[in-house]
Amino acid sequence: MPARETEKRVRELMDQAVEQGSTAGILLCVRQNGREILYVEAGWANMERKIPIRQDTIFRLYSMTKPITAAAAMILMEQGRLDLGENVSEYLPEFERAYIETENGRRAAEPVMVHQLLQMTSGLGYGSLESSADRKALEYLESCMAGAEAGHPVSTREFAEGIAGLPLLFAPGASWKYGFSADVLGAVIEAASGMPFGKFLEENIFTPLGMKDTGFWVPQEKQNRLASVYETGEDGNLRLYTGNHLMISNTMEAPPAFESGGAGLVSTVGDYARFAQMLMNRGTFEGHRILKPETARFLTSGGLTASQQQAFEMWRGLEGYSYSHFMRVMTWPERASLIGYKGEYGWDGWLGCYFANIPVRGMTILVMQQKKEAGTGSLIRRLRNVILSDLPET
């Protein structure tokens, strides 16, 4: 089907989402074989001021930060400065006291290993009301957020040290749980590299790739390009959301003490496309090599054990995927609830940013929006299905 027909279908879906209040604004970019073949934008970066969403709009990535953190770990791994099979305590000694709570009190846990952070099999959660250990993680997060709002923020290293003092949800490697593993890995990267996490990313990923609008904060001269965040109100209509989440400042107006490896980055669609293309190119982009080919292959493949996979599959919407290195990896396309291909990988974020690399099609799909708790929802699946069924394979 001609690309203009695909663009028409995509635009109709996106315009409808804006009109119905599913999102305030959204843009989509599709690249294939190293070039952009489809770009569509709809709606507003700021509804109140009628600022349209644009190609240079800056978005809070939230969990789409995680693949970048994983890539940073791979750089140190291939330099011989980070051993994924080593205990986390070799880099963060506080993790020597890892433990699990039982009915009979505390029980020392097996050491958490670095690769278990990358697989989310470390036993660290994000904090909830599900169990005593979950509640303690939630209480710790809330205390850190309160401290930050009072002018006493924790650093990347300090946050990880506090996490080390919390009970694990399960023995390391025994199951899978989405959580603070990427934030702890950010502190591990600091320890292994000997420099602040953000500086390491800047020197080794952002500057070489020309990702000029990616970082942990948005300077004043760029603030007019930062999209506003929206949520669905009790009346069913969109309303401005100004809260902070996971210790990430909504305004992003100052360099944070806590550089979150799990959720802290902002970026543009063009910047993230450069990172995604580097992965597609097995580690290189426009003459700059970030990762060696074998390292890039390792980063973008892998999966979980049977028991870990069982826990992962409790997460609805990721049918057909396994998980590795902070990314979903399509392993069983026949089980998927969308058109997918074996070996595709990517991730999404809390505010609806989304990326997928599909090597067999030479294709990258990127979606950017700022809608609270958007993630990979129905709109993303419908857009994907239109794109992958309409556009030619090469």
Side-chain angles (χ1 to χ4, degrees), residues 60-66 69 126 182-183 216 245-246 248 252 258-266 350:
R60 300 160 193 79
L61 294 177
Y62 273 90
S63 287
M64 238 164 72
T65 299
K66 290 179 172 73
T69 299
Y126 255 144
D183 298 296
F216 286 109
H245 183 60
L246 294 177
I248 311 304
M252 307 297 294
F258 171 56
E259 295 177 325
S260 168
L265 291 173
V266 297
W350 182 62

Side-chain angles (χ1 to χ4, degrees), residues 135-174:
R135 287 192 292 274
K136 288 182 179 179
L138 181 59
E139 289 168 3
Y140 176 65
L141 173 62
E142 290 175 342
S143 70
C144 289
M145 291 179 67
E149 291 172 3
H152 306 289
V154 295
S155 68
T156 306
R157 177 66 180 259
E158 289 168 342
F159 181 75
E161 290 172 352
I163 290 290
L166 300 175
L168 299 176
L169 303 184
F170 50 79

